[in-house]
Amino acid sequence: SIPRNWRVRQQRYSLKAEVCNACGKHIFPPRDVCPHCAEQKQSWTNLSGRGEVYSFTTMFNAPSGFAEYAPYTMALVRLAEGPMITAQLTDVEANSVKIGMPVEMVTRKLTQDSDEGQIVYGYKFRPVLQAA
């Protein structure tokens, strides 16, 4: 829904996370209690959007709303700051994906809601571009 997408826009567009004030670990997605030390006080921070592929799979039977992307690769990405995040890989062929491959976050279209006509954007990851 539109209100839900508005509430999570910071996490989707800029990978905003929390840092626990007690143990210093990064928390993504944000939570009321730190999963590492159970403390409740956190501060906001921006994640770098850089990481590496920890694991991956190719989706051939896409769920409703994602059929236009099939087949596509989903990856578990370990961010440079520590959290693991599940996201679709883009700008790469499935047979080129390797565990340990460096990736970076990009904002791309996730899906389109046909009832409201809302286009939902969010994070995906692509291989790190080489400097020219």
Side-chain angles (χ1 to χ4, degrees), residues 4-65:
R4 181 178 56 82
N5 287 318
W6 180 256
R7 283 191 303 273
V8 298
R9 74 189 180 284
Q10 290 187 4
Q11 292 111 304
R12 282 196 178 153
Y13 297 157
S14 63
L15 285 184
K16 245 181 154 22
E18 292 178 317
V19 176
C20 178
N21 293 342
C23 70
K25 301 248 177 146
H26 289 80
I27 305 165
F28 188 88
R31 299 182 180 114
D32 292 335
V33 175
C34 176
H36 308 286
C37 70
E39 291 296 321
Q40 294 186 2
K41 185 72 175 153
Q42 290 94 22
S43 301
W44 285 99
T45 189
N46 288 320
L47 298 173
S48 67
R50 298 237 171 188
E52 65 179 30
V53 174
Y54 183 81
S55 184
F56 66 94
T57 189
T58 300
M59 305 291 290
F60 292 96
N61 296 318
S64 176

Side-chain angles (χ1 to χ4, degrees), residues 5 33 38 57 63 78 80 87 92 94 103 121 127:
N5 287 318
V33 175
T57 189
R78 181 184 301 276
V92 64
V103 292
Y121 291 91

Side-chain angles (χ1 to χ4, degrees), residues 1 11-13 38 52 80-82 85 99 103 113 129 132:
S1 70
Q11 292 111 304
R12 282 196 178 153
Y13 297 157
E52 65 179 30
E81 295 83 0
I85 185 171
I99 291 176
V103 292
D113 184 354
L129 297 178

Side-chain angles (χ1 to χ4, degrees), residues 98-113:
K98 305 284 185 247
I99 291 176
M101 181 175 75
V103 292
E104 60 189 355
M105 188 210 86
V106 291
T107 302
R108 299 286 171 83
K109 176 182 169 186
L110 296 179
T111 187
Q112 183 168 349
D113 184 354

Side-chain angles (χ1 to χ4, degrees), residues 111-127:
T111 187
Q112 183 168 349
D113 184 354
S114 59
D115 294 338
E116 297 173 342
Q118 178 184 15
I119 298 173
V120 179
Y121 291 91
Y123 56 81
K124 293 183 181 184
F125 284 82
R126 70 174 176 206

